[in-house]
């Protein structure tokens, strides 16, 4: 069983994300303070499961105001350096 650490609120779930792997989509996130975070991996449009270069999210889920995909998100050139947040139990 997978216990997900970061679940998106319903208003941020987007079923139209372009997946590069089965259920996996790379996204960019904008927070309330205007910061932009890239190379975030979302599973099944509802869980943030990894982020390149971070062991923990550097922002709170409640601070997210926009999740979108850039051209690189839709077809990532590199699919490495993600630090996964969740563990199988």
């Amino acid at each position: 069983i997978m216990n997900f650490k970061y679940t998106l609120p319903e208003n941020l779930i987007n079923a139209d994300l372009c997946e590069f792997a089965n259920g996996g989509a790379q996204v960019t996130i904008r927070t309330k303070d205007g910061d932009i975070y890239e190379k975030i991996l979302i599973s099944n449009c509802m869980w943030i499961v990894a982020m390149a270069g971070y062991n923990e999210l550097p922002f709170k889920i409640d601070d997210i105001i926009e999740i979108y995909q850039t051209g690189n998100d839709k077809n990532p050139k590199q699919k490495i350096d993600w630090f996964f947040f969740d563990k199988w139990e």
Side-chain angles (χ1 to χ4, degrees):
I1 296 173
M2 178 67 81
N3 290 322
F4 295 100
K5 189 172 186 176
Y6 301 110
T7 301
L8 293 172
E10 194 169 316
N11 66 313
L12 291 173
I13 294 173
N14 179 353
D16 294 327
L17 293 175
C18 181
E19 297 177 355
F20 69 86
N22 191 15
Q26 181 173 296
V27 299
T28 299
I29 288 179
R30 183 168 57 96
T31 58
K32 290 177 184 176
D33 58 8
D35 288 338
I36 304 292
Y37 297 93
E38 301 175 318
K39 297 182 182 175
I40 298 167
L41 183 61
I42 291 185
S43 177
N44 296 319
C45 303
M46 50 191 323
W47 298 292
I48 297 176
V49 296
M51 183 173 178
Y54 290 88
N55 291 319
E56 299 284 330
L57 281 184
F59 53 85
K60 295 179 184 174
I61 293 289
D62 293 343
D63 289 340
I64 300 171
I65 59 170
E66 184 179 18
I67 297 175
Y68 60 95
Q69 289 184 298
T70 65
N72 185 54
D73 288 328
K74 292 178 182 180
N75 187 19
K77 291 173 182 58
Q78 290 186 318
K79 300 176 181 102
I80 58 171
D81 297 330
W82 282 312
F83 295 101
F84 289 87
F85 304 133
D86 307 299
K87 295 185 174 146
W88 288 98
E89 294 188 16

